[in-house]
Amino acid sequence: MADVIKIAVFLLVCGICRTYAYIPKFHRGRPKGGMLGRPMVKSFHALPPDMWVTQRLDHFNDADTTTWQQRYFVNDTFYKKGGPIFVMIGGEGTADPIWMVEGAWIDYAQKFNAFCLQLEHRFYGKSHPTNDMGTGNMIFLSSEQALADLAYFITYARQKFGLQENKLITFGGSYPGSLSAWFRLKYPHLVDGAVASSAPIRAVLNFYEYLGVVTNALATSGQTCNKNVAAATDSLQNKLQSDVGRKSLKTMFNMCDDLDLSDPDYQLDVASLVSSLVGNFEGVVQYNKDNRAFEGAVGTNITVDTLCGVMDDVSVGDPLDRYAKVNKMILAAYSEKCLDFKYRAMIKDLQMTSWNSSAGEGGRQWTYQTCTEFAFFQSSDLSNKTQPFGSFFPLNFSIQQCIDIFGAKFDRDLIQGGVNRTNTNYGGEFIKVTKVAFPNGSIDPWHALGIIDDSVAGSTAVYIDGTAHCANMYPATDSDPAELTKARQVIAGLISAWIS
């Protein structure tokens, strides 16, 4: 009997591993774990324990008295009386307590004697407002509810820790960077300044510019890199036209399943396959040389130069062979034996509503937010003259996912309505807000939706040449480029002025 139980457990674990793999490693600009990775750990620190605050489920309906428990962390080791409060805003992944002892904001906390708090975003990590992630419950997942959570939490923390008169600065990277800026916009009486790193401020249905930045980033590593990617794309397209070609692609790219031309979902499978292959490049570019060197952050030694080194290596067959080598390199980095690409399997995973499911890691929640608020759909609709990856995954591919995961009403009109509402609510690129720092890296594709010049009166754009997503947030190293070091100094100067 014991052996039977062991076998059953083994099969269950294997099933979970297999199912988890169907959700792409890089889905809608989000790696598994969230868009802000863990910082490089420089030395051992005791991590703060989980703490909990009682929140309302719906901050905008006084008749709904339902409450839930939201997780947060505290680090008061740097605090001296009169020092500021620093708040790290959680985002589309589990809030990691390592950020309470590492990162640029901790250096600022030591410098300014700050009291540090981190609040996990509702519906992510351990902060579960509802029994499951059913579509009916997901109506309580929104940036507006998250900002209201933050507003209540700050009021609560000031009273709990005796910090009623202290200045307060918020920090966030990527989507939480947007929240940091939007919090300053919506609740200026609660926050004295905000750092909004790599923040996509403008919601957009078709984020075709993403591949444009990826293309430009590859060009920094050599003039032939994009040319060879384009040649590989052409070869891939040709092989898709025959049974022999499709079978050879399965072998070349270590695909878990066949490409079946008779399958009604064949075109969706092709879009999913190529999207995953392009995601190999997108993920590396987005986090190029970002100091996320820690256990669990796989692939951090793979850079733009690594990718282009493979694509330009004439000793490795033709360009399609090199494209396949890049894929094998990424599979090996993530310890995956084959490439899962089946569209319906991905949809089935993202339809799961249990907190313990593979989708509960954050993939379902982030997909919902993109389908209802932001879109940010990274399509291949940019002209092939300006990007080398082909036109395999157009805008409609992302829209179809919203429909298939959440229901027929989540169509283009609903999604566009959510995008319009988000930009109307927060201002988009025309946001009017003061005392916000907007750091962005030139290699980061998300900077195309951010504030990269001083067009926002009273706030400061910090454009960092040669750096990627949220690079300014990670711990400093001796190898950091001069512009990154300068950017951190500029941000420190702004914080000093805000809390004076």
Side-chain angles (χ1 to χ4, degrees):
M1 183 66 179
D3 290 338
V4 173
I5 293 174
K6 289 180 181 178
I7 293 172
V9 171
F10 173 77
L11 291 175
L12 176 62
V13 171
C14 288
I16 291 173
C17 291
R18 169 72 175 186
T19 299
Y20 188 83
Y22 277 122
I23 299 177
K25 296 182 290 294
F26 196 74
H27 182 58
R28 301 197 170 187
R30 177 191 182 273
K32 288 174 180 174
M35 286 189 276
L36 181 66
R38 299 181 75 202
M40 178 178 58
V41 178
K42 295 183 291 186
S43 59
F44 173 78
H45 298 279
L47 299 182
D50 294 354
M51 299 182 72
W52 303 91
V53 58
T54 300
Q55 288 278 12
R56 292 179 55 177
L57 177 63
D58 188 349
H59 292 281
F60 307 108
N61 180 5
D62 289 337
D64 186 345
T65 59
T66 307
T67 60
W68 60 285
Q69 297 297 301
Q70 187 171 26
R71 185 166 66 148
Y72 71 96
F73 301 104
V74 175
N75 181 356
D76 61 359
T77 58
F78 313 120
Y79 179 67
K80 294 182 180 178
K81 187 176 181 180
I85 306 167
F86 283 1
V87 180
M88 175 71 79
I89 303 172
E92 68 301 320
T94 301
D96 195 331
I98 195 68
W99 276 103
M100 300 305 295
V101 295
E102 295 283 3
W105 84 303
I106 292 298
D107 294 334
Y108 302 146
Q110 291 175 300
K111 178 181 178 67
F112 297 114
N113 304 315
F115 190 102
C116 296
L117 300 163
Q118 181 182 188
L119 182 67
E120 188 169 66
H121 196 295
R122 59 168 55 203
F123 281 87
Y124 293 95
K126 296 181 181 180
S127 295
H128 302 163
T130 55
N131 292 332
D132 60 28
M133 299 181 295
T135 304
N137 286 332
M138 300 288 272
I139 62 173
F140 299 109
L141 171 57
S142 70
S143 59
E144 291 173 285
Q145 294 283 4
L147 293 176
D149 285 339
L150 187 60
Y152 177 80
F153 171 69
I154 285 173
T155 304
Y156 162 86
R158 282 188 181 277
Q159 182 175 359
K160 178 179 176 66
F161 299 108
L163 303 168
Q164 286 89 342
E165 303 300 323
N166 303 65
K167 295 293 182 70
L168 187 142
I169 309 296
T170 56
F171 296 80
S174 198
Y175 163 53
S178 303
L179 292 176
S180 186
W182 294 338
F183 189 72
R184 171 67 185 160
L185 174 73
K186 293 292 187 177
Y187 298 89
H189 58 292
L190 296 179
V191 56
D192 298 283
V195 181
S197 299
S198 297
I201 294 299
R202 173 171 60 98
V204 62
L205 182 66
N206 194 346
F207 188 16
Y208 57 80
E209 299 99 329
Y210 189 101
L211 276 186
V213 181
V214 171
T215 302
N216 293 338
L218 296 179
T220 65
S221 189
Q223 295 182 348
T224 59
C225 188
N226 282 308
K227 179 181 178 180
N228 286 321
V229 172
T233 300
D234 289 341
S235 295
L236 175 65
Q237 178 70 70
N238 289 334
K239 286 187 177 294
L240 287 170
Q241 306 309 309
S242 68
D243 288 337
V244 173
R246 287 188 290 272
K247 289 178 181 178
S248 68
L249 288 175
K250 179 181 179 181
T251 301
M252 291 180 71
F253 289 94
N254 285 27
M255 292 154 54
C256 301
D257 300 283
D258 294 324
L259 274 170
D260 184 359
L261 186 61
S262 65
D263 190 325
D265 290 324
Y266 172 73
Q267 293 297 337
L268 291 170
D269 284 343
V270 170
S272 181
L273 168 64
V274 181
S275 179
S276 293
L277 297 178
V278 176
N280 293 336
F281 289 78
E282 292 174 332
V284 170
V285 169
Q286 184 165 305
Y287 295 99
N288 189 53
K289 301 178 182 179
D290 66 357
N291 294 347
R292 289 180 306 145
F294 65 94
E295 183 181 357
V298 296
T300 53
N301 62 324
I302 302 174
T303 66
V304 169
D305 291 338
T306 308
L307 297 181
C308 288
V310 173
M311 291 307 302
D312 292 343
D313 187 354
V314 295
S315 70
V316 186
D318 62 26
L320 187 60
D321 292 317
R322 302 168 208 166
Y323 204 50
K325 183 176 180 179
V326 167
N327 182 62
K328 291 176 182 177
M329 182 170 58
I330 299 296
L331 288 176
Y334 285 84
S335 301
E336 294 181 3
K337 293 183 179 180
C338 60
L339 176 62
D340 283 318
F341 67 91
K342 298 294 285 184
Y343 177 79
R344 290 299 163 189
M346 175 187 70
I347 295 302
K348 184 178 179 181
D349 278 7
L350 289 170
Q351 287 174 333
M352 293 182 178
T353 60
S354 168
W355 292 113
N356 295 324
S357 68
S358 56
E361 173 275 335
R364 177 174 170 84
Q365 301 94 305
W366 179 240
T367 303
Y368 181 84
Q369 288 197 266
T370 60
C371 292
T372 56
E373 290 192 88
F374 314 123
F376 298 148
F377 297 151
Q378 293 115 42
S379 78
S380 59
D381 290 343
L382 188 66
S383 168
N384 288 350
K385 294 181 180 179
T386 50
Q387 63 92 352
F389 298 101
S391 55
F392 293 92
F393 46 101
L395 173 63
N396 283 341
F397 177 60
S398 294
I399 294 173
Q400 189 63 49
Q401 292 174 44
C402 294
I403 293 171
D404 289 342
I405 295 167
F406 300 111
K409 75 175 184 179
F410 289 81
D411 59 9
R412 181 176 182 140
D413 289 342
L414 182 146
I415 299 165
Q416 184 64 68
V419 168
N420 294 344
R421 185 177 187 281
T422 296
N423 289 330
T424 299
N425 193 22
Y426 302 124
E429 69 264 46
F430 305 110
I431 186 173
K432 303 296 183 185
V433 64
T434 61
K435 296 184 179 179
V436 178
F438 292 102
N440 278 283
S442 65
I443 293 179
D444 177 19
W446 290 98
H447 86 254
L449 300 181
I451 304 299
I452 60 174
D453 57 35
D454 287 331
S455 58
V456 181
S459 291
T460 305
V462 185
Y463 192 61
I464 316 168
D465 188 47
T467 63
H469 200 58
C470 299
N472 64 287
M473 297 184 68
Y474 294 102
T477 68
D478 292 338
S479 60
D480 286 340
E483 285 219 14
L484 178 56
T485 300
K486 180 181 178 182
R488 292 195 181 103
Q489 293 170 349
V490 169
I491 294 168
L494 291 170
I495 294 170
S496 178
W498 296 335
I499 63 178
S500 296

